Amino acid sequence: MSALLLRAARLPEGGERDLLIEGGLVRRVAPPWRLPPGPPELDLTGHLLLPAPAEPHAHLDKAMTFDAAGAPGGGLPAAVGAWRVHAARITEADVEARARRAVDELLLNGVTAVRTHADLLPGADPLRGIRALLRVREAVRGRMDLQLAVLHPEAPESVLRGAFELGADLLGGCPHLAPDPAAAVARGLRLAEEFGVGLDLHADENLDPASADLRLLAAALGRRPFPGRVTASHCVSLGALPAEEAARLAKEVAGAGIGVVTLPQTNLYLQGRAHPGPVPRGLPALGALLDAGVTLAAGGDNVRDPFNAVGGFDPLETASLLVSAGHLSPREALRAVTDAAREVLGLPPAGPFPGAVADLLAVRAGSLVEALGAACAERLVLRAGRPVARTTVRRELL
């Protein structure tokens, strides 16, 4: 892979630097204009250079279906019902077309790695969505890592096995929607181990403090270690617990090695609609998770589908919500959509420092606060040191 020199890029911690990229890695970082010329150069004066974001929790098979499917009344039960009706009608070609549009938007926004959950669809051919997403994975290979987590483990084992024989990467599930959440957690762990894949559960996606998916998962891992990577997404009910109880559970999660993915936009959209007031925020106890040392990532989740009518496939928007609604610092919010998101996906570190994978996002902004607050649209995306997407903006006062 050819070398590339990035000149005068501003780093999040302040100051400008040159970066030499070789073999897909950042090899040297030096004060601006100090590295000798030779390789092709990109002048990044006026740009903030960040690790490329990763999207640890998407639903590419559902993306951009709100206008067709709707979700009368809002809330999670209504969204589930609307999706089930619509899912019976969607075709393999429809899933592939929408997913291709979605990954293009993600890449333009800076995302070079995505984990998407993929439903086993109603009807005689439940794997049609999986096949469509696997073709998308092949189409973006070299520009983006794409992982598939299969929903739902309550499906027959033969159907699940078929999904993994096709090439799916992880097992998903929603224990809080199962009649017996403890049995659902146990079955998910057993099947993931049998299939030799990781496990990523939709956990406690509600505001009921008695919801126990996360606690059950941590306890099960304490009794019997699991060989793969385990992730719990949503974990909304953690935010409904008293502070001391939330802190204790967060320590159990950390001890079990569970990565947590918070999904602020979708859960702010779905949760709290039945509460007459004050309306809760629909977020887990972010501070307790960070204090306990849990790997806390953040994702965009649903985008313009029955589970979230809005959204734009933009991790900087997700990070901004973590600052405003989750009260994280800008640096903590950035880590959730970059370093921590890659860690949850099992990927090596990326960023503007020596030895890192050269998956980078250059944003035309003077500071991290500006980049997150304005969700600056003008961006250059590098994948393993190779430019793969650019967005330019022209604005005029007339």
Side-chain angles (χ1 to χ4, degrees), residues 97-172:
R98 287 184 292 98
R100 283 179 179 265
R101 288 171 53 199
V103 295
D104 286 350
E105 290 295 320
L106 285 159
L107 189 62
L108 285 164
N109 284 329
V111 176
T112 59
V114 176
R115 176 179 295 172
T116 182
H117 292 259
D119 278 31
L120 297 173
L121 296 170
D125 183 11
L127 299 179
R128 61 190 185 277
I130 302 289
R131 291 196 301 272
L133 291 172
L134 288 170
R135 283 197 298 276
V136 175
R137 185 175 72 183
E138 288 304 308
V140 300
R141 192 178 297 278
R143 295 187 299 152
M144 175 187 288
D145 288 312
L146 181 57
Q147 301 176 358
L148 272 65
V150 182
L151 288 174
H152 302 270
E154 59 265 27
E157 292 187 23
S158 59
V159 177
L160 291 170
R161 189 174 302 279
F164 291 110
E165 288 173 350
L166 287 173
D169 302 290
L170 300 101
L171 184 65

Side-chain angles (χ1 to χ4, degrees), residues 65-367:
T65 56
F66 183 87
D67 290 332
L76 184 59
V80 170
W83 169 249
R84 285 177 176 168
V85 170
H86 183 69
R89 302 193 295 263
I90 63 174
T91 65
E92 188 170 330
D94 174 47
V95 172
E96 182 175 358
R98 287 184 292 98
R100 283 179 179 265
R101 288 171 53 199
V103 295
D104 286 350
E105 290 295 320
L106 285 159
L107 189 62
L108 285 164
N109 284 329
V111 176
T112 59
V114 176
R115 176 179 295 172
T116 182
H117 292 259
D119 278 31
L120 297 173
L121 296 170
D125 183 11
L127 299 179
R128 61 190 185 277
I130 302 289
R131 291 196 301 272
L133 291 172
L134 288 170
R135 283 197 298 276
V136 175
R137 185 175 72 183
E138 288 304 308
V140 300
R141 192 178 297 278
R143 295 187 299 152
M144 175 187 288
D145 288 312
L146 181 57
Q147 301 176 358
L148 272 65
V150 182
L151 288 174
H152 302 270
E154 59 265 27
E157 292 187 23
S158 59
V159 177
L160 291 170
R161 189 174 302 279
F164 291 110
E165 288 173 350
L166 287 173
D169 302 290
L170 300 101
L171 184 65
C174 307
H176 56 283
L177 298 180
D180 185 345
V185 168
R187 184 172 189 252
L189 287 166
R190 176 180 64 81
L191 289 176
E193 185 169 359
E194 288 181 8
F195 295 138
V197 298
L199 183 69
D200 187 337
L201 296 178
H202 289 55
D204 299 320
E205 193 179 358
N206 56 60
L207 290 163
D208 181 2
S211 189
D213 296 353
L214 196 54
R215 186 174 284 107
L216 290 166
L217 183 59
L221 292 170
R223 290 191 299 270
R224 182 167 179 258
F226 176 73
R229 192 174 295 272
V230 178
T231 307
S233 298
H234 296 289
C235 305
V236 176
S237 69
L238 185 66
L241 296 176
E244 290 186 1
E245 189 175 348
R248 284 196 299 271
L249 179 52
K251 290 179 181 177
E252 293 175 19
V253 171
I258 302 168
V260 171
V261 179
T262 182
L263 303 158
Q265 187 168 83
T266 295
N267 286 136
L268 288 168
Y269 177 83
L270 288 175
Q271 301 298 324
R273 290 174 179 263
H275 287 245
V279 177
R281 293 185 180 219
L283 296 174
L286 303 178
L289 291 166
L290 289 175
D291 289 345
V294 174
T295 298
L296 177 65
D301 200 9
N302 300 86
V303 176
R304 302 196 298 275
D305 67 22
F307 298 81
N308 177 25
V310 294
F313 302 105
D314 190 353
L316 297 190
E317 183 180 61
T318 298
S320 179
L321 281 171
L322 291 178
V323 175
S324 58
H327 295 169
L328 297 190
S329 71
R331 196 63 69 82
E332 289 170 333
L334 176 66
R335 172 171 163 72
V337 299
T338 57
D339 301 342
R342 287 184 66 88
E343 187 175 336
V344 163
L345 270 58
L347 299 174
F353 57 90
V357 173
D359 280 22
L360 301 165
L361 171 61
V363 182
R364 188 171 287 282
S367 69

